[in-house]
Amino acid sequence: MDFDFKTATPEQLRARYNDIATEMRETQFLSKKELDHVPHILQDGEQVLAFATGLMNNDTWLITLTDRRIIFLDKGMVYGLRQAVIDLDKVSSVSFTTRWLFGDIHIRDSSGTYQITNVWKKSIVPFTNRVQQAVDARKPANNP
């Protein structure tokens, strides 16, 4: 059964986000204001599969994986909301590098590469694996 992010109560959203955060080994500390905004930008029936937090262009961004796209959100303190989106059908590859405590995620599409730095090392493999699974699930089945 799909979860309805658009009509869920704040308590239901918090519980769902906690479940995802546990699975992804991700903290929600730096991304609360972005997570609060996610239901407002989801399409009807769209499901959040994973999220991670990191730096992109020296700002903290929430990277949200849904069953349809990857959404990059930065809800600043002073300015409004910045958003970038990659449809899963357009993702050509996802890769990562790790260091002592943090690492980087690289998501490529036909227009370039999104590099998210300073992602918690423990979150990188679960998140990138989930992205690859979601991308693979969107590919048409090979017909012999």
Side-chain angles (χ1 to χ4, degrees), residues 76-93:
M77 295 286 215
V78 177
Y79 54 85
L81 176 74
R82 291 189 294 175
Q83 175 180 323
V85 175
I86 305 173
D87 290 334
L88 288 180
D89 298 336
K90 305 290 186 205
V91 173
S92 58
S93 70

Side-chain angles (χ1 to χ4, degrees), residues 114-129:
Y114 292 81
Q115 180 173 323
I116 305 91
T117 63
N118 289 357
V119 179
W120 281 108
K121 181 180 177 179
K122 63 184 178 179
S123 302
I124 288 179
V125 171
F127 183 81
T128 55
N129 284 348

